Amino acid sequence: MSDVAALVDGQWQWSGWLTPKGRVIALFAVIRRGPERLDLLVLDADTAAVAASLQRYVFRSKVSMEVRSDLQVAGRFAPPSSAQGALSAQSGDILELDMGTATHPRTLALQPHAARATLQREIHESWRAYDIRHGLPRLDESQREQWTPQQLSLERLHAFSVAKGCYPGQEIVARTHFLGQVKRGLVALRGTGGSPGDEVTSAGQGLGRVVSTAADTLLAVLPLERADAPLAIGEVEVHVVPLLDGLGR
């Protein structure tokens, strides 16, 4: 759903794959490794299923797809050695991505399994919490094919295009954009408990649902225009907190 033709070699961006009705199936980073190679770093979805879905759209083009079982992803909460912003950096067998901000650095690397000791592995929940605080949804099975890119506020991450050529769901995404019909978006909440799919209420009335959780932070899709009133999930009060910037490319 993003314009991969706009990427230069070594550059990456957030993107995703949609149903024909414009609902997000999977989110991933697209990395242009060279003139004829793109790598997809899939966040939570079944990578083999995503590849099979994409393969159905290959007709006469000379395109091949491969799920890389020889690579692993590792990360650390420290500045990259060479990568910067949207530009990745290759060092030997390791591809480095800048996945942090100036004030909260973070580095992700794609590397052979044999290089396991090269980068320190961080606790998965800490990485996930960082993503969620910056408005990058982590979609478990129950939340796939539920939300449009606009409802997940993916314009903050520059993860979709309304001007590129046709792609599944593009008509819905473009129509919503140009007709100004975006009424719901992603909101970060602070509170305990809550699971993806749980209802967020105000004064006993349902407003929206939780999309992702990590530690004491949740992402929910709520109306962009709503009364300034207390919010709750079940009997537990939750509070709106700002989404942090910096992950958009």
Side-chain angles (χ1 to χ4, degrees):
M1 64 183 183
S2 62
D3 187 1
V4 297
L7 295 174
V8 301
D9 291 355
Q11 191 176 14
W12 71 276
Q13 65 184 10
W14 295 112
S15 189
W17 184 243
L18 308 179
T19 70
K21 293 184 178 181
R23 279 7 185 216
V24 178
I25 300 170
L27 294 172
F28 42 76
V30 179
I31 312 158
R32 180 171 287 282
R33 300 293 295 273
E36 297 185 352
R37 176 180 168 185
L38 295 170
D39 284 7
L40 305 187
L41 181 61
V42 181
L43 292 183
D44 300 293
D46 183 331
T47 307
V50 172
S53 182
L54 290 169
Q55 186 66 49
R56 291 199 293 270
Y57 289 83
V58 178
F59 298 107
R60 295 182 177 86
S61 302
K62 294 181 179 180
V63 176
S64 62
M65 299 184 195
E66 177 188 5
V67 178
R68 298 291 300 273
S69 59
D70 58 323
L71 296 177
Q72 67 173 0
V73 176
R76 65 178 186 266
F77 288 93
S81 300
S82 302
Q84 185 174 20
L87 290 177
S88 62
Q90 186 80 39
S91 177
D93 293 333
I94 299 176
L95 180 72
E96 187 181 69
L97 300 179
D98 180 1
M99 288 251 175
T101 67
T103 54
H104 297 91
R106 190 174 67 154
T107 302
L108 184 141
L110 279 68
Q111 58 192 33
H113 283 286
R116 183 167 296 150
T118 303
L119 292 180
Q120 177 183 354
R121 285 184 174 272
E122 295 291 339
I123 299 173
H124 177 266
E125 190 70 7
S126 297
W127 194 276
R128 182 184 176 94
Y130 187 109
D131 286 342
I132 287 175
R133 284 293 285 116
H134 287 80
L136 176 60
R138 303 297 302 265
L139 303 179
D140 68 14
E141 186 65 35
S142 71
Q143 297 306 299
R144 292 170 199 154
E145 303 187 26
Q146 299 295 314
W147 310 105
T148 67
Q150 287 99 334
Q151 288 172 334
L152 296 179
S153 299
L154 293 177
E155 68 279 355
R156 297 181 67 257
L157 306 180
H158 310 291
F160 66 91
S161 171
V162 296
K164 64 167 283 188
C166 185
Y167 56 88
Q170 187 258 1
E171 182 180 356
I172 304 297
V173 172
R175 183 190 306 146
T176 301
H177 173 80
F178 290 112
L179 295 181
Q181 295 177 337
V182 181
K183 296 181 179 180
R184 291 176 172 265
L186 212 57
V187 175
L189 303 172
R190 180 66 53 81
T192 57
S195 301
D198 284 354
E199 188 175 45
V200 180
T201 62
S202 178
Q205 299 297 314
L207 286 185
R209 294 198 176 272
V210 175
V211 175
S212 308
T213 65
D216 63 348
T217 303
L218 311 92
L219 291 178
V221 173
L222 299 178
L224 296 176
E225 295 184 6
R226 61 185 185 277
D228 184 13
L231 302 175
I233 298 173
E235 300 298 323
V236 179
E237 188 172 352
V238 292
H239 305 276
V240 175
V241 293
L243 287 170
L244 302 179
D245 292 324
L247 293 186
R249 298 298 170 187

